[in-house]
Amino acid sequence: MVRRPFSSRVPADLGVNRLSRALQQARADRRPLIDLTLSNPTRAGFDYPSDLLEPLAHARGLTYEPQPFGLMDARRAVASDYQRRGLSVAPERVVLTASTSEAYSVLFKLLTDAGDEVLVPRPSYPLFDHLTQLDGVTSCPYDLECHDGWSIDLAGLEQALSDRTRALLLVTPNNPTGSFVSRKELTRLTAICAEREIAIIADEVFADYQVRPGACVDAARALEVRDGLLFSLGGLSKSVGLPQVKLGWIALAGEDDLVGAALERLELICDTYLSVSTPVQAAAAELLARGAAIRKQIQARVASNYSTLARQVEAVPSCTLLAADGGWYSVLQVPSLGSEEDLVVSLVDRGVVVHPGYFFDFPRESYLVVSLLPPERDFANGVAAVLRHIEQAL
Ligand SMILES: Cc1ncc(COP(=O)(O)O)c(C=O)c1O
């Protein structure tokens, strides 16, 4: 066998799956498709003023001032953006990154050695497989359970802990379940982690978006944690619908000495890459302010599509909409007539694209995941096509 100079951090099998092949074919045949997996806000018909990104041309961006954690003005802007949610964090505890995905990589470098473990929610964001593997970290799942709403299986989570566990990932609200971590859960998890010197990474990229009124206010407040060590992640990608601008951040909370020691080490990591562009840092305050108008449109869209979805699914007894509180996605439980893969591929033939639950590591079949971002009419038509197909298949 020919030996190749490649790391096993990148999977050996890079082949495309059946759904991607069916999609490629439908697009090559120019068949009309309603994309209920749309997650790119810049393609979802929102009104982005054409001069929205003018702050990126500010003359301050002409001077390179390398700072490991980013320019202080930009860190101040992020800190004051947390105040919008009633949260207080010192700008000195804010670290800028190019994206939330990069923030994960920075934190895995800070917290883990090769082969160490991080606990990852299941079901959750599929990119965690790559984000962990690319940094040589082993991801160990803990379950979210849906009864009358979602909750963390705390007993299962404790069983998943080992001597090599270095971090616990929380996604609040979670992609795709739309569940926020509750205050009670965070209190318990903080105690478990602080006692075992495990850091908490709280991914709050969707924290601005609720589909149940009051959900954001009821949710756990990660930055109020005072025991152990916690990192809250956010970014322009979701909070103002600007993924292409590439600005994310990490805000630290917890015991002062641990936060201080983490910042000292993060400084070395961030100084090695200096990956955040100066123009985006110079523009951060203004982009955060201007982006409020985009956030408002996205919030209205996800709330409206969720209500439509609830109404449409209620009329179809064989399907159930799993209760969600926030975020950009929703989950339908559907009858298992064949595999999820067969179902999503046959839906492409019907002109509609949805995610199968197994992409998100649902423990059983059959679930479908839809994005709440598509324009309202496309969304309603797409959901109607999915439900019609399922009813006919029964
Ligand atoms: C839970 C979650 N975290 C992080 C990200 C990535 O955010 P960014 O664009 O800042 O890398 C996503 C993107 O969909 C996500 O769903």
Side-chain angles (χ1 to χ4, degrees):
M1 198 166 77
V2 185
R3 285 186 53 197
R4 297 177 197 277
F6 302 125
S7 162
S8 59
R9 288 166 193 245
V10 179
D13 178 8
L14 295 170
V16 288
N17 62 34
R18 248 181 89 207
L19 174 59
S20 305
R21 273 201 305 279
L23 268 174
Q24 279 166 3
Q25 192 57 54
R27 290 193 173 122
D29 298 345
R30 298 187 179 282
R31 278 184 267 147
L33 284 174
I34 298 178
D35 187 0
L36 294 184
T37 66
L38 177 76
S39 59
N40 177 351
T42 68
R43 298 247 181 228
F46 296 116
D47 179 21
Y48 286 85
S50 58
D51 61 356
L52 183 70
L53 298 185
E54 238 169 32
L56 285 172
H58 195 284
R60 188 158 174 205
L62 291 171
T63 310
Y64 186 37
E65 264 182 73
Q67 300 280 350
F69 294 154
L71 299 178
M72 193 35 107
D73 281 353
R75 295 165 70 197
R76 269 196 210 103
V78 170
S80 61
D81 193 57
Y82 273 102
Q83 278 171 14
R84 204 167 39 76
R85 288 167 42 211
L87 293 162
S88 165
V89 59
E92 292 74 17
R93 291 184 168 201
V94 171
V95 175
L96 303 183
T97 60
S99 66
T100 316
S101 308
E102 188 193 54
Y104 278 110
S105 180
V106 166
L107 292 176
F108 293 152
K109 288 175 176 60
L110 172 74
L111 299 167
T112 67
D113 290 316
D116 277 345
E117 296 171 2
V118 299
L119 294 195
V120 178
R122 173 173 66 186
S124 195
Y125 182 38
L127 205 67
F128 288 142
D129 286 344
H130 295 317
L131 289 172
T132 47
Q133 208 175 332
L134 288 174
D135 269 296
V137 182
T138 303
S139 69
C140 300
Y142 68 89
D143 287 319
L144 306 184
E145 296 174 324
C146 188
H147 298 297
D148 243 354
W150 291 93
S151 58
I152 296 174
D153 171 10
L154 288 169
L157 184 148
E158 287 194 71
Q159 273 167 19
L161 295 167
S162 84
D163 289 349
R164 299 213 65 172
T165 310
R166 295 288 172 267
L168 165 67
L169 265 55
L170 302 175
V171 185
T172 176
N174 185 37
N175 166 6
T177 59
S179 48
F180 285 86
V181 173
S182 72
R183 291 175 186 227
K184 208 168 145 197
E185 285 171 332
L186 184 62
T187 303
R188 179 77 196 111
L189 293 171
T190 303
I192 293 172
C193 290
E195 189 193 327
R196 295 172 175 79
E197 301 186 326
I198 294 169
I200 295 180
I201 301 175
D203 180 332
E204 300 190 296
V205 295
F206 294 113
D208 289 300
Y209 301 101
Q210 60 183 18
V211 296
R212 178 178 65 75
C216 289
V217 174
D218 295 346
R221 299 166 70 76
L223 280 184
E224 288 180 354
V225 160
R226 292 291 171 266
D227 295 326
L229 181 61
L230 179 141
F231 304 90
S232 156
L233 309 187
L236 295 189
S237 165
K238 314 292 188 243
S239 75
V240 296
L242 291 173
Q244 76 280 33
V245 170
K246 306 307 289 180
L247 182 67
W249 53 81
I250 305 168
L252 287 80
E255 292 163 34
D256 288 343
D257 57 337
L258 275 175
V259 169
L263 284 168
E264 277 172 18
R265 289 161 175 78
L266 278 172
E267 186 166 350
L268 185 142
I269 300 169
C270 295
D271 199 27
T272 303
Y273 296 101
L274 293 168
S275 60
V276 188
S277 87
T278 305
V280 78
Q281 296 180 56
E286 215 171 329
L287 292 178
L288 281 163
R290 290 176 172 218
I294 313 296
R295 176 166 56 244
K296 208 166 146 199
Q297 294 177 59
I298 300 177
Q299 169 55 45
R301 175 79 58 82
V302 296
S304 152
N305 280 344
Y306 185 75
S307 308
T308 302
L309 182 62
R311 248 191 338 270
Q312 287 177 295
V313 177
E314 201 163 78
V316 179
S318 60
C319 300
T320 309
L321 173 63
L322 302 192
D325 280 348
W328 288 7
Y329 301 92
S330 272
V331 184
L332 294 182
Q333 187 167 15
V334 300
S336 295
L337 300 165
S339 72
E340 277 175 359
E341 188 156 67
D342 288 344
L343 176 58
V344 295
V345 169
S346 60
L347 283 167
V348 170
D349 295 336
R350 295 279 180 126
V352 51
V353 193
V354 295
H355 283 304
Y358 77 82
F359 270 19
F360 301 81
D361 220 2
F362 275 78
R364 331 173 264 290
E365 302 211 338
S366 291
Y367 296 94
L368 298 179
V369 173
V370 296
S371 163
L372 299 171
L373 281 195
E376 280 92 346
R377 190 193 298 204
D378 286 352
F379 184 81
N381 289 339
V383 171
V386 170
L387 296 174
R388 215 169 28 244
H389 178 71
I390 291 170
E391 289 267 88
Q392 286 168 359
L394 280 175

